[in-house]
Amino acid sequence: ANLLREVGDLDLAQTRFEEALALLEKSGSESAETADVLFSLGVLHTEKQQFSTALDFYLRALQIRKSDPGSTKIVIAEILNNIGLVYFGMKEYDKAQVYHAEALESMIEDLGDDHDDVAFCWHSLGATYVETGQLVEARRCFDKAVKIERTELYLQSLGVCLVQMNDNENAYVCLNEALQMKELDFESNDDDLAEINRNLGTIWLRKGKYEEALKRYDAALKSKSSQQIESEKDYKNLMSCIDGALEAVSQLYGNGHIKYAKLLHQKGNQHGTRNEHTQAIEAYVEALRIYKEQYGDTHLSVANTLYNLGVSLNAKGSPEKAVRCFVKALRITKARLGD
């Protein structure tokens, strides 16, 4: 089961873990080995984002471990911390804080203040404070993690927290160091790079360094994560990135620049995918004006914008206006590309 999990065959790994658990339970005793299999099932279901099921396995493992005199504090702390991670995934952040804090206390008692597992627990606790808006507490936790182990993840989390607290100087130090580490790591997570660049863009924008801000926003917008929006948080991050880039372009080149139009078009597309068609129409109309001024009335960018504008107008209950947009878009496209 462990081997199957390592190679990514989670479904078959789950079957083998369940078979192992059934064999252990036949003995009628709840041994440390039973707790280990329950824990492994919890990890597996966490990876599959089946949080309620994972929680059940972790709680059973915890009960066995707490009643076993031979269980060390670090083993119990690991289960506690994973329960905290599950509650975090379930967005029950107050409960996550309780378990992470208990895990942290046990880890420090068993491993001391400067172990890398302690750093991970500090980071996990800090992440819950970010979600509950307790940024001072979050900063304290992330600071503790960074002092123990100066990793990309811990520096990134501390930097993002500091941006939210408007501590731009310290935020820049953390985020720039994290970025340098990630740029040397060929297996670096694209989501993390996008987040770092977006927050660096925010810092430069606040400082009035618009070229640097735009460079960072562009890097964030080109990332894969900006093309694959999977959550409300992803959407908010993307829109804040587009808005920041629009501000930077406006300051550098004015509101009539072609890049301003492209960003507006991108913003309209995002609003459209979420059925926010009033906002989409506003963005498309402004982008269309700029495209016509810069390219003339028969450019393909004009046609593309007219088509998207038509889609949103139709969704808002204006089919006649939509048809006029579609006809114009088709006429331009045929003229440019042929039938």
Side-chain angles (χ1 to χ4, degrees), residues 74 81 85 100 103-105 107-108 111-127 138 140-151 153-155 157:
I74 187 59
N81 199 53
L85 294 174
H100 284 315
L104 183 61
E105 184 178 352
M107 283 189 183
I108 291 174
L111 300 174
D113 292 332
D114 59 354
H115 194 275
D116 55 359
D117 286 345
V118 173
F120 179 74
C121 205
W122 275 118
H123 179 267
S124 299
L125 182 58
R140 181 178 70 86
C141 293
F142 293 145
D143 269 330
K144 294 276 191 180
V146 167
K147 286 176 182 176
I148 297 169
E149 193 174 17
R150 210 168 177 86
T151 68
L153 176 61
Y154 302 161
L155 286 164
S157 296

Side-chain angles (χ1 to χ4, degrees), residues 78-95:
E78 188 176 6
I79 301 173
L80 290 167
N81 199 53
N82 279 31
I83 292 173
L85 294 174
V86 165
Y87 275 124
F88 187 92
M90 297 169 72
K91 299 184 179 181
E92 296 187 39
Y93 303 117
D94 290 339
K95 291 181 180 179

Side-chain angles (χ1 to χ4, degrees), residues 181-192:
M181 290 180 180
K182 288 185 182 294
E183 286 177 339
L184 295 174
D185 181 3
F186 293 108
E187 297 181 358
S188 188
N189 188 300
D190 186 72
D191 290 346
D192 292 339

Side-chain angles (χ1 to χ4, degrees), residues 55-103:
L55 181 60
D56 290 339
F57 284 120
Y58 284 140
L59 290 173
R60 288 172 63 189
L62 182 63
Q63 184 178 12
I64 294 171
R65 283 296 189 180
K66 281 189 170 181
S67 63
D68 177 11
S71 293
T72 62
K73 288 184 177 180
I74 187 59
V75 170
I76 293 173
E78 188 176 6
I79 301 173
L80 290 167
N81 199 53
N82 279 31
I83 292 173
L85 294 174
V86 165
Y87 275 124
F88 187 92
M90 297 169 72
K91 299 184 179 181
E92 296 187 39
Y93 303 117
D94 290 339
K95 291 181 180 179
Q97 285 172 11
V98 171
Y99 280 95
H100 284 315
E102 188 178 348

